[in-house]
Amino acid sequence: MSTENEGAAVPSEAKPPTGPQPDSASASGAQTPGAPPAPGARPAAPPPPDFAPTVPPAPGGFDEPGPMPPAYGAGHPRQPGYGHPGDDPAAEQTSQFPTYSAAGPGAGAGGWGQQPPYGGGGDPWGTTTGSPAPKRRNGGLIAAVLVAALVAGGVGGGIGFWAAGQNDGASTTVSASGDPGALNRKPTSVSGIAQKALPSVVTIEAQGATGDGGTGTGFIYDKQGHILTNNHVVASAANGGKLTATFSNGKKYNAEVVGNAQGYDVAVIKLKNASGAPLNPLPLGKSSNVQVGDATIAIGAPFGLSGTVTTGIISAKDRPVASSDGGGTSASYMSALQTDASINPGNSGGPLMDAGGNVIGINSAIQSAGNGGGMGGESQQSGSIGLGFAIPIDQARRVAQDLIKSGKPVYPQIGVQVGMRDTGNGATIAKTGNNGSEAVTPNGPADKAGLKPGDTITKLDDTVVDSGPTLISEIWQHKPGDEVTLTYKRAGKEHTTHVTLGQRTGDK
């Protein structure tokens, strides 16, 4: 995802139960000419098209999970031909799944093939304008067209010369009325929201002690100078690196990392000297109230182009997404908001806003078409293909509060280790954990609820669970102490149990 942090190594996989594994599973609008005009005659103007194309408006707590695969939304079909850049080729599974690349520097390549406008060459409207001429008259047709063109050109040139002679020195341009009200720049318009939000969005430059780093985005969280962003944006500068935040007015301030959560891909930084900085926090909305189809506005610095505003809609909710942080072995999991607003490398950490100007998510990841084979064999090109993902602000707000309070993240957990590569049938608790540990933590929440190694968790409350990453992303939407209902299968029979979530403090 916008975790432009692909290719990172991942922990060894917990062993799931042995058993059978799933198998791996141009339109042309060329114009046809009508009967040719007589030689020397000026051709009649073609009739206007019946339509014109409209222009769209401007724009869990799990102990050391196994190798991190790309995740899927429950009930969504799998697409073949995707691999994860961080996977060992020698350990390639029989099934390929889509991966998500970071929306910041270092995102995977991808892109769409070029298509001719409106269905092909010829008539720009993609329609035919007459019946086909007999083949035997092709030569005559070409000659007639040439003669007609010469005649029309001569007439046009003559008229143009006469008009110029009669209006020597006169201008033929038309000036706009200049009415600002006609541009709809009301406070509730995209322009109005952007003008208000841009001063509170910063471009973050992070540089590690070894010189590595990149550019991302953040936004003002409170009047004390705290800025909310992604962990993968600032990870390189978290330990002795250099961090700066540049406002839309061009002023740059040094900053430091207050706390970062690798699993959530959330970080909080703070200006070292906020004197004179425009500390106007952006209003935080409620991601739980978001509906598919709602308008969205994304602000960030794609490819270093600060203050870029793009628009779109919410394409889907609760999309389970797994991505690496680019600087270590830990994976990030989110039950993301999916948007088609253009998000590119450098947008990471920026706000995803609703039509009221409220932050509903933190832009964090993108799917690049070129990852693992791409879609339809298009050329390798990194950038937005309309599949962007944001961390819901309800979750990000809770994480930010923990980071500001203690500098460490707090994760809810059930105390099991599950297989991370098997998808489609649920999250199966491993027979044995990593490094010989127990797959079900003794006296942990899952153990108290009666779960055992080999059980396959298929639902959390009303959400279908199709994989380990899906289970983690759903659990991490909650907080420690919440009670959830788990549906699981054991020996072919379905069972239900209630689990009170425990907690783990800090990343490991």
Side-chain angles (χ1 to χ4, degrees):
M1 296 312 196
S2 184
T3 53
E4 39 212 89
N5 311 312
E6 299 182 336
V10 293
S12 59
E13 174 187 7
K15 303 297 184 183
T18 60
Q21 301 298 316
D23 292 335
S24 58
S26 124
S28 174
Q31 176 177 343
T32 303
R42 183 175 182 179
D50 293 334
F51 69 96
T54 58
V55 179
F62 290 79
D63 302 320
E64 295 296 336
M68 184 273 303
Y72 287 92
H76 293 274
R78 283 22 179 205
Q79 298 294 334
Y82 290 85
H84 193 284
D87 289 339
D88 180 2
E92 182 178 0
Q93 302 298 299
T94 57
S95 298
Q96 298 291 327
F97 306 105
T99 61
Y100 299 96
S101 62
W112 292 104
Q114 299 298 318
Q115 298 293 333
Y118 308 112
D123 186 351
W125 305 104
T127 60
T128 56
T129 58
S131 58
K135 293 183 178 180
R136 55 188 167 89
R137 298 185 60 186
N138 280 352
L141 173 61
I142 295 173
V145 171
L146 288 174
V147 171
L150 290 173
V151 172
V155 173
I159 294 176
F161 176 82
W162 178 82
Q166 297 298 316
N167 298 280
D168 188 27
S171 173
T172 59
T173 60
V174 178
S175 299
S177 64
D179 179 13
L183 299 177
N184 187 28
R185 290 177 181 161
K186 298 178 181 179
T188 54
S189 67
V190 173
S191 176
I193 292 173
Q195 290 181 28
K196 185 176 181 180
L198 280 169
S200 298
V201 178
V202 299
T203 297
I204 297 174
E205 294 181 35
Q207 186 174 16
T210 59
D212 59 322
T215 301
T217 307
F219 59 93
I220 303 301
Y221 179 74
D222 59 26
K223 290 185 177 296
Q224 286 68 49
H226 291 111
I227 295 172
L228 200 53
T229 186
N230 284 144
N231 170 69
H232 72 262
V233 171
V234 302
S236 60
N239 297 308
K242 181 180 179 181
L243 199 62
T244 63
T246 304
F247 286 77
S248 61
N249 60 8
K251 291 187 177 181
K252 180 180 293 189
Y253 298 82
N254 291 325
E256 59 185 349
V257 177
V258 172
N260 56 314
Q262 295 177 354
Y264 293 120
D265 195 21
V266 172
V268 175
I269 67 174
K270 187 177 183 180
L271 304 182
K272 291 183 177 181
N273 181 7
S275 177
L279 301 179
N280 299 311
L282 290 180
L284 305 183
K286 290 186 177 181
S287 52
S288 59
N289 293 338
V290 172
Q291 297 296 325
V292 173
D294 285 354
T296 58
I297 301 171
I299 303 179
F303 297 101
L305 301 174
S306 302
T308 297
V309 178
T310 56
T311 63
I313 63 169
I314 292 293
S315 304
K317 295 175 56 180
D318 303 321
R319 187 73 79 189
V321 170
S323 56
S324 64
D325 66 3
T329 59
S330 296
S332 299
Y333 301 91
M334 69 183 95
S335 185
L337 297 175
Q338 180 181 328
T339 182
D340 66 347
S342 182
I343 298 175
N344 287 286
N347 273 107
S348 290
L352 183 69
M353 311 178 75
D354 61 17
N358 306 304
V359 180
I360 55 175
I362 302 176
N363 299 318
S364 183
I366 61 174
Q367 169 71 50
S368 291
N371 289 348
M375 295 179 174
E378 60 276 11
S379 60
Q380 299 295 302
Q381 178 182 352
S382 177
S384 173
I385 59 171
L387 293 174
F389 303 91
I391 303 167
I393 197 62
D394 293 354
Q395 176 180 333
R397 180 196 288 113
R398 177 177 58 81
V399 176
Q401 291 171 348
D402 289 337
L403 294 177
I404 293 173
K405 181 179 180 179
S406 66
K408 295 181 179 180
V410 177
Y411 297 93
Q413 65 172 6
I414 62 173
V416 300
Q417 297 183 47
V418 297
M420 300 298 288
R421 288 191 179 276
D422 296 332
T423 62
N425 298 319
T428 300
I429 302 175
K431 289 292 187 181
T432 59
N434 291 315
N435 302 319
S437 63
E438 296 285 344
V440 178
T441 304
N443 205 36
D447 187 29
K448 292 179 179 179
L451 290 168
K452 299 180 180 299
D455 290 345
T456 299
I457 300 171
T458 58
K459 290 180 67 176
L460 188 151
D461 292 333
D462 294 327
T463 301
V464 175
V465 173
D466 66 347
S467 66
T470 301
L471 178 62
I472 297 176
S473 63
E474 289 300 321
I475 288 177
W476 284 2
Q477 286 196 91
H478 294 79
K479 60 181 182 296
D482 286 353
E483 183 178 276
V484 298
T485 300
L486 294 181
T487 302
Y488 64 96
K489 289 184 178 180
R490 178 187 296 169
K493 295 183 178 180
E494 188 172 88
H495 306 271
T496 299
T497 187
H498 300 286
V499 179
T500 300
L501 301 178
Q503 75 174 50
R504 168 171 62 86
T505 300
D507 288 305
K508 65 177 183 178

